[in-house]
Every structure is written in structure tokens, then in C-alpha cells.
Amino acid sequence: MSAGMGPFGALRGQLVDAATAFAGAPDALAGILAGLVDDVDRALREELEIFPVCHHSPASALAMVRRLREKQPKVVYLELCEDLRPLLTELRNCRLPVALQAFATDLDGFPPAWGPLSVVAPITEASAEYQAISYALETPGVELVLVDRSSDHVFQWAPKEEPEAAGHGDDAALHGDAVGIEIGDLRPRFAELEEHLMRHGKVRHWSEWWDQYVEQPLAGADYDTYRQVMVLVGSLFRRLGPGGDRLARDEDRERYMWTRMREHLAASGADPAQCLYVCGAFHAASRVEQFGLSAEAPDFDISPRTATRWLYGLIPSSHSAIEAQFGLASGSVSIAAATWAKAAARGGHTPFQLAGQKGARKRSARARQAVPVPRAPVTDQLSGFLSRPPALDDLDETELLGWCVDIVRLARRNGYLAGTADAIAVFETSILLAGLRNRARPTPYDFQDAAVTCIEKDVVPGRRDVRRLCEILLGGDRVGEVGYDALPPLARDVFDRLKPLGLDLEKRTIQRALLDLGADPGLVACSDLLWMLRYLLPREAVRPIMGERRLGERSIQESWDLSFGRYQRSIIELGYEGVTIEQVLERRLRRTVWQPDATAAVALAAVEDAVLYLGGGRLADQLGARAVELLAAERTVDDAPEVLRRIRRLLAHYRATEPALPTWCEAFVSGGYAHYCTLLPTAFVDEDTGIRQVGAMLGFLFGMESLALTLGCDRAQLQLAVRQSHPEAPAKVALLWAAQCRLGLLPPAELRSRCDELLANPLVLPSFPLYITGFVQAMEPAPALSGFVVEVISKAFGRLPDAVLLPWLPRLITMLSDQAGELMPMLVREAGRTFPGSLASVDAWVPPWSAEGTRPATETAPRPAPVSAGPVSELLVGHPTACDAVAELLGCDAGWRDPVACASDHREVSALLAGHPEPALAVAGLLA
């Protein structure tokens, strides 16, 4: 049949003549208009009946109901990922809206950065696809075939830079980062066209334009008019689109779908006249060479799927999640649901519904016609539809008045000062806005604008604004729910194990669980499960109010806030990773420590989690062995503070609970000792290595020294590393001095002398706070130096004038807070022991270091022997060299004291030794 003949020949000629008259000569406009009519003619002449739809369109759903009851097809081809077919029967156990999901974490054939992969296809009651699914599943002898590309091909065909992105934000949380699959995507892909349509249509969003100029006129149209208009709109958007990679992928999808339908018809022998192809209007106007059953082009070459293992399930969805993911106006899906319910009741249509559907309205059974209505010849319905003005509905004052009264009631509940006058104002303003926008009947969007104008005023006193209240009034954000029988085994296991709590965990409200583990030991298993869920689920899903779990600590009473209903999607996706919570937790811990960017600190955290939640054992040993490997491979010490903190905690736990340390702990300590000794000289001089990291390294080396030496490490390695360190930064210099003093390489008296020289040097005073910071960090490896740090700070504040101290303070306080905040309590405690405890004793208080400043640092000459007062004193006086050497090593240079005076100071001790001299004489005999 030629392009100018057929039922649309007259319309084609009119459009070409109009384009020629407008442009003065035939041009691209005439070609576009003629092409639109050709696309409609081609789609309607196809042997396999094509049903064009728009996603979540009440008009499409109504037309689908009417056509299914008339045609009663035996095969329904649906534009949906073909591998999602087994999930459709589980919709009976759910409360709509829900989303079909394909999920993959173990990728094979895709870039690792893409993981995890997720594809969702939301299903609502007010959608043509749900009506087709319900009809096919509830009608005996009807086959439902999904013909769109598989979930694997969705990502195979995605740009290699990144997969198709989904909407983000709080509203899209139910779908997460999944790629959304739209059934019947119908929206201009030419930004200028969309802007032009909205500007001339006097609307703010595309959803409002579609409702006004397509949805409402087609709601009561006959089937032929509906089909022709939808294909026309799809062809318009297709021909005016920008093309590019997205159009190429859509054309491949169309080739894929026609190839699958041909294969099914050839294999099943079904009669094309008894089949129905449900697809988006954009795809109904396809011009690919494989279009149609009689196309001569060869079938599309479908690439094999990758080795990626896909998992399938249902997750809850919501109107707001669908709007956020697919770029619809806020509240548009709720308005569509309300429009669907009203139109179905007004037209007397009985929608199809799955048996046992949760939350669905009970519908009266209507007898279906026994004989299908034969397909009528195609006639031109477009000419009349395009030439006559749309039939505008009259004003439904009762409905509008009900909206106005209800919105005022809702506004008052949410803190607005609204009354009867506001309801009248909203009513009149709605009519006024509809008139300004050439509408005889105010739409829900006009009502929303009027309510915001008349009620919201200047501020929002409540939790919700007026626009959100209108969405609630017109249908609300309906949230779906996956039923227990449709949940994966892991999710069912979680609910079963938490039954002793006596809570309805499927509710979307926050529920409080109280666990008295001492009175009811049977709740211990629930507590263990809740702590594991706390680790795996989002923080708000399982939140402890009272009780904690740390190494060596268990609470006897716990209180939890549980919100499983709101986070059902997260629980379901756990089921894609394993059969039990313990298995998922173990897999995640293993995956964490074997990541390419894993560090020793991360591995130690995984060991601690394995001990806390899984009892340790074999898993903790394997993770610990991995920590040893990671520590040996590290070339930086950025995580040294975290490593030190965690290994100390784990060693304390194992020493308290196990008869011997695990093998990996010993290997970690010995390996860490050698590792940090090797890196110590470089860390001291590296500008990128902070003082906290170097202090933590020394803390590991000195704190673990006794255990490391018993495991075969050599202390000479540490001494050599300290001798090879030559820092220039003041803080690191102070830390090196402290390390040398700790090793005995620097006498305490010389350390004091160096600090006194620093305080006496005016050129060094501006950087002296850095030395203080280094000394404070030195308390990590050498806690005994806390008294010396108090002494240094006290000398600085006692000797220096205010002109020097005042500029110091902000810098000193900031550095101590940022770099040594965890060490300040130790410093404060030492200061409390050093300084007097009352104000009255301050004046008479003499600092313990003030009298020592005038004495020489060392005393090599023999000291005069005091008068002996017993066998011990006689022994010490007779051999003073040993005592002098020990005193010099410890920094004690106060001199020898008179035994007689000591005896007078400690009369009780002297009396005890005089009354019982045998122990003292025995000690003297051993020492002699």
C-alpha cells in the first residue's frame, strides 16, 4: 500500500499541504509530519497487534482493561526484562507498589567499579503492565512472555564509562542506586521541545502537561483513537529526539524484542491474531528493519550473557521512589492512582487483579465475554481527534469542595492557622487558575497551587508544607510491602528468629524491643541477631537505645528501636548474599580484608567484629593471618594509631579469655616490631608522616617489646633504628629524645638540661609549643615521662613572661586538642598528683624539680658515709658504687640521707626492724 493511500492518506495530504503553506515550499517540516502519519499507519497495519502504553498512565490502564476484555488474547508479549518472568507470580504475596529486582554482587564481565549491579522495574496498580500481568496469570490458557533484553544485557549495552544512573536522594531510597527499567517510557528527549510544550501549556512540569493534554482527553476515548494518538505522540518524540547512543540502544532493544517474539511464535505455533504486544509508544513507532512479523531482515544477533550470577527478588517501592527515579513531578504517581480509581469506578470497568493480592480492593466478579470481539478494520480516528477541540469536563463542585475542606483540616493538624475563609479562597483560586490555563475543570495541580497560595503564607510551622499535604490528600505516598511468602529465605529466617520479641516486625512504624537477658536467657539469641543486623543494615533500621557490645563486655539489659518495615529492601538484599545472617556477615568480613585497598587496621577491625558477632574461632584466625600479611606489605604508617589501639584491645581480650595467644597475634607482634623498626628512621624525617603516627609506632615498639623479645625479636634492632633517626621538626625531635631516654641512651638529667637550654634560647621560644606536643605524644610509648612533661610545661609557664606565653596559648591548645586529645587525661592526672590539692598549700608548695636544678647532673666522687643504723645501712655504706650507678640511671641525685634521721622519720618501721631483725639479716647475708 503506498504512503498516500490507505485510511490515513487524507490526513497525510492535509499535513503536507499545511507544512508547505507554512514554510512556502516542501521542507523538513513536511517530511516530519508525513513521517508521523506513516509511523501510525505502519504500526496499525502490523499483523501482530501492538498496544502502545505510557508508564503509570491511568488512560493506558483503562484502555488495557477494555482491550483485554474485548480481544481475550492467548499470548501477551510484554516489554520487560525476560529474566524477571519467574518473579511475577510472587506479586500475589505483596502489597503494591513493589519493584521487581535483579541483583548481582559477583561480577564477571563488567568493570568491578560498577558493582553491585541492580535493576528494578516498579509495578503499580494504576499501570497497563499490571493489568496485562494480572490478566495473563489469572486467565487459564493465557501465556505471558517477557521479550525485552535481560538484566545482564542492560549493563552489557550501558556506556563503558558508567552504567545508566538512577535518581538519588531520600525519596529514591527504596530503590537505592538501581537502574530503573521503564515500561512505556514516553517523554520528549529534546530539551527545547519539552520546554516549549510546558511554556505554551502553562504548566510547571512535564507530568502536568501530559495529564492535561494527553491523559485527560484519552481517558474516555475509544480504543482505536487511543492507539492512534499514542503512536502519534511516540513518533513525534522519536523523530524530534536528539538521537545518539541512547537512541541506538533503544533500537537494539526493539530488534531484540521482535527477534524474541518471532522465535516464540515459531516455537509455539501461536496465531498472531490471538497475540498482543504491549510496549511503550516510543517503541511502537519503531523504524528498525526487524519491525513486524513479515520483515525480511534477519533476526537480531543476541550476544550471550556474561558469567555474572544474577539473583532475583521483590523489593518494596513507593510513589515517591518511582517519581524520584524516573524524573516525575512530586505527587504525580499519587494523582495518577487517584485518577485511575475514579475513572475505573465512573466508567464501570472492572480492573484485573491477582487473586490474594494484599491491600487490594475487593472487586465484584464480572462475567467475561465468551467470544472475543474480532479485530475491526483500521479507520482514521486521528483526523477527528486533532481537528476538534477536546471535550472539557464540567466543574465537579462537590469534588473540589471536598478537597478544599480536607486540605484546611490537614493544614490545621500540621500547625497552620487555616479556617473556613481559606477553604473558600482555595476553591475560588482553583477555578481562577484553571481559567487562566484554559481549563474548564481545575486539575489536582491547579488545586495544589491554589492551596499553597492561600494557606502557606510566609513560613512553614509544621513538619510538612502545603504541597506535601495536598499530595497526602490526593492519595498519599503509598508504600508497598513484600509479603512473608515472597521474601528470600534469609529474610524469613530473620523474622522467625525474632519472634520471641513479640513484635509485628512488618509494620512501618518504629517499635521498641526490651530485652532482659538476665531474667530471660532465651532472648540472648535475639540479642546476638540484633547486633549482627546492626552491623549489616542501615543505622536507622536497628538502633540500640540501651546496651553495648564490646570485647569482654555484655549487657544484661538492652533496648532497641526496630524499623524493619521501612528498611525491608535492605533485608531482602541481604538474602541475595547468603542463606543466613551469619553467612552474609562472614562473607562481608572476608571481602573487606581481601579488598585491594585493605589495610592492617581494616583487617584488625574485621577480627574484632568476628570475635564480637561470630565468636571468633577459625574465622578470626584467618582474618588475623590476613592482617599480618597486610602489615608486612604496608609502606606507610598512616594507620599506626589505629593498629596500636586495636591490637592492644585484642591482646587484652585473648589474655583474659584464652589460655594462650593465637598464633596470628604472636606473628603480628613480632612482624610489627621488625616492620616498625625498619620504617622508624624514615618516618622521623618524612614530612608527610605526622607526630601521632610516629608516637604510635614507638608506642607499639615499647608497649609490645616484652612480648616481642620473648618471641625472638632483637632489642638491638630498635636501638639501631633510634640511633639512625635524625629528625628536624621540633615535635619529632622531642619525641626522639623521649625514645632515647626510654632506651637509656639519654640520661634524664641531660634531657632536663636540653629543655632548660631551649627555654633559655629566645630564638627557639616561638617553636617551643611544638616540643611540648612531642613530649606529650611521648607519653604513649613512655608513660613514665608524664611527670617530666608536667615539669617542662610548668617550667615554661613559670619562667617565661606573658608577652611570650599569651601568643602561645591558642596554638598550644589547638595542637594538643588535635594531635594528643586521647593523651590529655593522663597528663591531667599526673598534674593532679604533682600540684597541691588545696589553695591554702599553694604558697608553701615547692616544686619537686626546683631544688634539683642547682645540683650537678652526675656525681662521680664517693660520697661520705653516713652513720650506720643497722646491718642494711652498713652494707650499703660499705659498697656505695652500686647504689650510685642505679641512682644515676634513674636520675635520682638527691644525695645520701642520714640513717638516724630516717629512723626518726619512720619510727614504726624502725621499731619493726629492731623487734624482728631476722629478715633484714638474712637479706644482708644474701647480698654479702
Side-chain angles (χ1 to χ4, degrees), residues 392-448:
L392 302 176
D393 294 337
D394 295 332
L395 173 63
D396 190 344
E397 292 190 2
T398 303
E399 180 185 56
L400 183 57
L401 282 173
W403 288 353
C404 296
V405 172
D406 291 340
I407 192 60
V408 168
R409 183 184 297 114
L410 274 176
R412 291 183 65 86
R413 290 177 182 174
N414 285 268
Y416 291 90
L417 299 177
T420 305
D422 295 292
I424 298 173
V426 173
F427 181 86
E428 298 295 341
T429 306
S430 300
I431 298 175
L432 175 63
L433 289 177
L436 292 174
R437 297 166 178 173
N438 299 324
R439 303 169 185 171
R441 177 177 179 271
T443 66
Y445 299 97
D446 299 323
F447 168 71
Q448 278 187 340

Side-chain angles (χ1 to χ4, degrees), residues 54-63 126-127 211 215 219 335-337 339-341 343:
C54 176
H55 195 48
H56 302 304
S57 166
S60 295
L62 289 171
S127 60
D211 179 78
E215 196 70 34
I335 293 174
T339 303
W340 154 257

Side-chain angles (χ1 to χ4, degrees), residues 215-467:
E215 196 70 34
Q216 298 297 336
L218 289 181
D222 60 85
Y223 175 61
D224 290 336
T225 302
Y226 167 82
R227 285 185 71 200
Q228 295 172 24
V229 171
M230 290 295 287
V231 177
L232 179 71
V233 174
S235 176
L236 174 66
F237 295 159
R238 189 184 191 102
R239 288 182 176 271
L240 296 184
D245 293 338
R246 181 173 180 181
L247 179 61
R249 290 197 302 273
D250 283 331
E251 290 180 344
D252 284 343
R253 290 178 60 192
E254 292 157 4
R255 297 184 180 97
Y256 191 108
M257 290 188 286
W258 280 107
T259 298
R260 288 302 193 207
M261 287 186 287
R262 289 178 183 177
E263 292 175 351
H264 179 268
L265 289 172
S268 64
D271 183 4
Q274 296 182 341
C275 301
L276 186 67
Y277 172 32
V278 182
C279 66
F282 186 88
H283 301 299
S286 173
R287 302 190 302 275
V288 298
E289 60 276 13
Q290 285 84 4
F291 181 90
L293 299 182
S294 59
E296 298 179 356
D299 289 342
F300 180 61
D301 185 15
I302 299 176
S303 60
R305 301 184 188 182
T306 67
T308 298
R309 180 171 173 265
W310 288 90
L311 302 168
Y312 302 93
L314 296 168
I315 61 172
S317 183
S318 68
H319 292 170
S320 60
I322 297 172
E323 293 159 358
Q325 189 161 11
F326 300 130
L328 305 176
S330 178
S332 59
V333 178
S334 299
I335 293 174
T339 303
W340 154 257
K342 181 178 179 181
R346 180 176 56 188
H349 304 293
T350 303
F352 294 96
Q353 179 178 301
L354 292 173
Q357 184 80 61
K358 298 180 62 176
R361 301 179 181 89
K362 294 186 179 297
R363 308 191 187 279
S364 58
R366 172 176 291 187
R368 192 162 46 87
Q369 299 179 13
V371 180
V373 177
R375 183 175 179 178
V378 176
T379 58
D380 179 14
Q381 302 293 329
L382 273 179
S383 298
F385 183 85
L386 297 176
S387 60
R388 64 175 179 265
L392 302 176
D393 294 337
D394 295 332
L395 173 63
D396 190 344
E397 292 190 2
T398 303
E399 180 185 56
L400 183 57
L401 282 173
W403 288 353
C404 296
V405 172
D406 291 340
I407 192 60
V408 168
R409 183 184 297 114
L410 274 176
R412 291 183 65 86
R413 290 177 182 174
N414 285 268
Y416 291 90
L417 299 177
T420 305
D422 295 292
I424 298 173
V426 173
F427 181 86
E428 298 295 341
T429 306
S430 300
I431 298 175
L432 175 63
L433 289 177
L436 292 174
R437 297 166 178 173
N438 299 324
R439 303 169 185 171
R441 177 177 179 271
T443 66
Y445 299 97
D446 299 323
F447 168 71
Q448 278 187 340
D449 294 340
V452 171
T453 302
C454 299
I455 297 178
E456 196 162 62
K457 307 298 190 302
D458 296 329
V459 295
V460 182
R463 293 184 296 113
R464 302 183 177 98
D465 58 13
V466 174
R467 189 170 300 279

